[in-house]
Amino acid sequence: MGAVPVEMSRERFEELVAEALDEVPEELLGLMSNVVILVEDDSPEGEPELLGLYEGHALTTRGWDYAGVLPDRILIYRNPILRICDNDDDVVDEIAITVVHEIAHHFGIDDDRLHELGWA
């Protein structure tokens, strides 16, 4: 997979992320709190294979003192995803998996459980 990276504009990639979010059930989106979803071109230095990242406090760890904090961030990394995909359809699938994976972290679901569920 990904011998030659798929070429895709940032604008088109962001549209695909928005489309992936449209596929998340409204009930789940309605439960999300104080979180923003962003597209970044590259993953952090030293982590070139990272496709997405959740930064923040999962809903399951927020206590009575959770207030006045900046929004959690879900980051979707464009270039790493494009590098592992062979075509536009692969990009759509990988974005959907990555978006669901990072949203799951917002709900407190860890990587081990996501692997069990097939969303790793």
Side-chain angles (χ1 to χ4, degrees):
M1 237 185 147
V4 176
V6 174
E7 291 188 26
M8 181 178 292
S9 71
R10 183 180 175 99
E11 293 78 19
R12 178 65 181 137
F13 190 90
E14 288 175 350
E15 287 173 7
L16 293 175
V17 170
E19 289 174 13
L21 285 168
D22 288 343
E23 296 300 316
V24 176
E26 282 295 321
E27 299 81 25
L28 285 180
L29 290 177
L31 294 172
M32 293 176 67
S33 174
N34 199 32
V35 62
V36 62
I37 300 171
L38 304 167
V39 172
E40 296 283 335
D41 284 334
D42 295 303
S43 55
E45 189 172 322
E47 300 190 61
E49 297 170 2
L50 191 63
L51 306 181
L53 182 65
Y54 173 75
E55 296 178 332
H57 304 278
L59 293 176
T60 55
T61 65
R62 295 179 185 180
W64 63 269
D65 58 344
Y66 179 83
V69 298
L70 292 173
D72 294 358
R73 298 184 335 154
I74 291 175
L75 302 166
I76 308 299
Y77 298 119
R78 184 173 71 93
N79 288 330
I81 288 175
L82 296 179
R83 275 195 299 271
I84 67 165
C85 294
D86 290 322
N87 55 53
D88 288 359
D89 290 338
D90 288 347
V91 174
V92 170
D93 292 342
E94 196 58 56
I95 287 172
I97 291 167
T98 304
V99 165
V100 168
H101 183 103
E102 301 310 329
I103 288 174
H105 287 318
H106 179 67
F107 286 102
I109 301 171
D110 66 16
D111 282 331
D112 290 337
R113 182 66 179 136
L114 285 167
H115 281 278
E116 291 172 13
L117 296 171
W119 288 99

